[in-house]
Amino acid sequence: MTDFSGLFTPFQLGRFTLPNRFVFPPMGLEVCEGGIPGDDAAEYYARRAQGGASLVITEGAYIDHPSSGDNPMLGRFHGDDAWDAWRNVATKVHREGGICLPELWHVGLVYRGPDVLVGNDVEFRDELGQVSPSGYIAPGKQVTEGMTQAQIDEVIAAYARGAAKAVELGFDGIELHGAHGYVIDQFLWKALNHRSDRYGGSPRARGQFAAEVVRACRAQLEPGMPIIMRMSNWKMVDFNARLADTPQELEALLAPIVEAGVELFDCSQRRFWEPCFPEIDDRNLAGWVKAVTGVPTCTIGSIGLDLDFLVSLSEGKTAELDLAKLDELMRRFDRGDFDLIAVGRAMIAEPDWPKLVQAGALDQLKPFATSLMADPLMAHVK
Ligand SMILES: Cc1cc2nc3c(=O)[nH]c(=O)nc-3n(C[C@H](O)[C@H](O)[C@H](O)COP(=O)(O)O)c2cc1C
């Protein structure tokens, strides 16, 4: 029987003491009519806090900039009509004792409309006024000019307005979406960042945009309110991408972000057990990021399930339970590789996942069938 006791110990995140190590990660379910999360969405988040996630991160929500993204069914963190709805999300999660952060998001050149495309087929739509560091939509595929300094300043200011609004609405801090090939990641990733000013040309320079976003947001938050930076090797346009070829490069890339002051790196993987530098050892991204930065990390990716979310959703396959891998998770956790774990689809299917694990009731955990996405807010009652 796996020993999960380490997951039920407290963790200090900024000024908050989380009672356990469980995070409910950001997941855009395309249920926000007109970009506004309804009361049912607020209850859905609250239900995950009730089930034992001490930290709930909302789906990616577009920041207040015309180029940030515009899928009308995904959350929008701007516009007077959205504010009460977001306040309601924070209030409901607090009601269940959870800490709640919005994930602030700008897609850069990856457009996520109803015709969301993955791989090299991503579409560029000039009419959206999309921006990115060097105008590359995928490696080797430049479709427009890179951002001007004025555009960079505007986008950073939009992140900062999002942070200020998060405080006003009662959130506890923010997560910045720096992963999956969206705008912050487009600066971090050398395949899409061909700049030669202070934002590109060396690993450290590629971290500069993210660091400036962090600084601008920090200035809007109250003392001790956490900033989490989400990051990943994989991108929507390249599942096999790597942010850095060596630990030294990873350290240099993240150094400016660490100096700007983040409480945690949320290290997104499709499968948590995959090594970041397989030529060196078995540590995953969260393990290596913690090692080279000294900053706490969260791991994620198919925890408790046998198929990663992109394969399972794109191929319409049920992700079955894979409880044996929980041993592997705990081996890494107990070794100190990471501090928090995020459970996504498995907590859509079963919001009491942390409580059931604590009770040793692993037989009650559920697989994730893609049919659950037809009504994701109520998936657990099916
Ligand atoms: C439907 C869906 C929507 C997602 N939307 C977001 C998002 O808005 N922001 C983000 O950072 N990650 C998003 N993700 C990725 C998840 O946060 C998570 O990293 C991924 O599902 C792997 O975790 P899991 O295997 O436990 O589900 C999404 C995943 C799914 C399944």
Side-chain angles (χ1 to χ4, degrees):
M1 179 73 188
T2 314
D3 177 6
F4 293 105
S5 55
L7 298 178
F8 298 93
T9 57
F11 176 75
Q12 197 67 31
L13 180 69
R15 71 189 191 193
F16 303 101
T17 306
L18 307 181
N20 65 36
R21 307 305 182 98
F22 290 89
V23 178
F24 185 59
M27 283 188 288
L29 303 178
E30 303 203 57
V31 295
C32 291
E33 196 76 53
I36 298 173
D39 192 52
D40 49 355
E43 290 294 349
Y44 148 91
Y45 286 120
R47 181 70 186 84
R48 273 68 200 172
Q50 187 192 50
S54 58
L55 175 61
V56 172
I57 303 171
T58 76
E59 66 181 276
Y62 299 132
I63 57 169
D64 179 19
H65 191 274
S67 64
S68 64
D70 66 351
N71 180 329
M73 295 304 286
L74 291 175
R76 160 163 65 82
F77 214 68
H78 59 87
D80 286 343
D81 52 347
W83 299 134
D84 284 348
W86 285 113
R87 191 191 308 276
N88 188 36
V89 169
T91 304
K92 293 250 157 86
V93 172
H94 289 157
R95 183 193 73 201
E96 300 301 335
I99 297 300
C100 192
L101 314 181
E103 186 190 50
L104 303 185
W105 187 25
H106 184 300
V107 299
L109 270 191
V110 180
Y111 177 64
R112 297 205 49 176
D115 48 354
V116 56
L117 296 169
V118 173
N120 266 324
D121 285 338
V122 280
E123 207 179 331
F124 172 65
R125 297 188 178 181
D126 202 21
E127 72 274 16
L128 295 174
Q130 291 167 280
V131 295
S132 82
S134 304
Y136 283 71
I137 197 161
K141 199 167 165 190
Q142 190 182 26
V143 292
T144 184
E145 297 299 307
M147 288 163 92
T148 62
Q149 184 65 51
Q151 285 173 319
I152 289 177
D153 294 344
E154 277 171 24
V155 170
I156 292 174
Y159 277 107
R161 283 197 295 283
K165 206 69 193 181
V167 177
E168 188 187 319
L169 298 176
F171 286 97
D172 302 300
I174 55 165
E175 169 152 305
L176 294 166
H177 197 337
H180 307 170
Y182 300 114
V183 84
I184 292 177
D185 202 16
Q186 288 165 11
F187 277 89
L188 295 175
W189 187 28
K190 59 179 165 248
L192 298 196
N193 181 344
H194 297 276
R195 301 183 74 96
S196 54
D197 57 3
R198 72 173 192 273
Y199 299 104
S202 70
R204 194 183 161 88
R206 296 201 313 271
Q208 180 64 21
F209 177 76
E212 289 184 15
V213 172
V214 169
R215 279 216 172 77
C217 290
R218 174 69 68 205
Q220 302 300 325
L221 299 179
E222 292 171 10
M225 282 187 161
I227 298 180
I228 298 179
M229 176 65 71
R230 185 161 241 221
M231 54 180 292
S232 65
N233 276 319
W234 71 268
K235 323 292 175 200
M236 292 296 282
V237 296
D238 184 354
F239 293 164
N240 299 315
R242 282 220 292 203
L243 278 173
D245 292 328
T246 62
Q248 293 71 26
E249 187 183 351
L250 187 65
E251 183 177 357
L253 179 74
L254 299 181
I257 307 174
V258 174
E259 288 157 21
V262 290
E263 274 68 20
L264 189 102
F265 284 104
D266 173 7
C267 299
S268 165
Q269 289 186 239
R270 295 165 59 202
R271 296 171 282 261
F272 77 85
W273 56 89
E274 289 184 347
C276 181
F277 299 112
E279 60 282 13
I280 301 179
D281 64 20
D282 71 347
R283 277 178 285 179
N284 69 6
L285 181 65
W288 271 106
V289 169
K290 188 173 173 184
V292 300
T293 65
V295 173
T297 56
C298 175
T299 198
I300 185 169
S302 305
I303 292 177
L305 299 173
D306 71 343
L307 277 186
D308 84 86
F309 82 105
L310 291 166
V311 167
S312 129
L313 288 175
S314 64
E315 297 180 13
K317 286 188 185 151
T318 294
E320 302 290 351
L321 292 177
D322 185 352
L323 302 180
K325 288 259 172 35
L326 296 179
D327 272 341
E328 178 59 16
L329 179 76
M330 293 314 297
R331 186 181 72 81
R332 290 162 183 267
F333 178 83
D334 290 336
R335 191 167 71 176
D337 285 10
F338 39 80
D339 304 272
L340 301 180
I341 68 160
V343 181
R345 289 163 300 149
M347 275 193 82
I348 290 182
E350 177 47 74
D352 286 327
W353 207 94
K355 284 188 173 167
L356 291 171
V357 167
Q358 187 169 28
L362 298 188
D363 55 324
Q364 291 180 45
L365 302 179
K366 298 187 183 67
F368 175 83
T370 51
S371 57
L372 296 178
M373 294 307 287
D375 191 2
L377 299 183
M378 297 303 286
H380 59 281
V381 298
K382 294 243 156 60

